[in-house]
Amino acid sequence: QVQLVESGGGLVQPGGSLRLSCAASGSIFSIRVMGWYRQPPGKQRELVAHILSGGSTNYADSVKGRFTISRDNAKNTVYLQMNSLKPEDTAVYFCNVQMGFPDVYTYWGQGTQVTVSS
């Protein structure tokens, strides 16, 4: 079994910053991709950013230049630094980990609420 524990969500004013963390534990092997998705109220879940095992990153256009994803392979942890937050960033943020070879298994965190409001 694999557990993903997220932390760092909360309430922040527009223009503020938050840092999300997601630590993976349990039967960890061959992590390929670590990432963050979000689900705004009444909308579908969408990719925010992901980072490959080699360090390559990909971001949604809406967060480019404001959010930074990073990972600590030794700790099996992925981070999302969110700066210049906007009200439209309000959502539940989910950690996502894909691991295994040749079959790939996908795991999700329980979600953490991020609310951007004055």
Side-chain angles (χ1 to χ4, degrees):
Q1 270 295 21
V2 174
Q3 296 80 40
L4 302 180
V5 178
E6 300 153 342
S7 60
L11 173 64
V12 64
Q13 292 186 342
S17 298
L18 283 174
R19 188 189 193 213
L20 304 183
S21 300
C22 173
S25 62
S27 302
I28 307 297
F29 61 102
S30 300
I31 294 180
R32 292 167 166 256
V33 184
M34 304 186 82
W36 292 92
Y37 287 69
R38 67 185 181 187
Q39 188 164 14
K43 297 185 179 181
Q44 292 189 333
R45 193 174 298 188
E46 61 185 14
L47 174 69
V48 176
H50 69 228
I51 182 167
L52 306 184
S53 57
S56 299
T57 58
N58 183 51
Y59 295 91
D61 288 342
S62 59
V63 306
K64 283 181 180 177
R66 300 188 297 122
F67 291 10
T68 302
I69 190 170
S70 61
R71 63 190 281 178
D72 184 332
N73 291 330
K75 296 181 178 180
N76 295 320
T77 299
V78 61
Y79 306 96
L80 185 68
Q81 178 65 44
M82 305 185 292
N83 298 328
S84 302
L85 283 161
K86 304 175 181 180
E88 50 264 44
D89 294 318
T90 295
V92 179
Y93 284 70
F94 296 90
C95 175
N96 171 277
V97 173
Q98 300 172 40
M99 66 178 73
F101 182 85
D103 295 331
V104 178
Y105 300 87
T106 299
Y107 299 90
W108 292 93
Q110 78 282 1
T112 185
Q113 178 70 46
V114 172
T115 302
V116 185
S117 175
S118 56

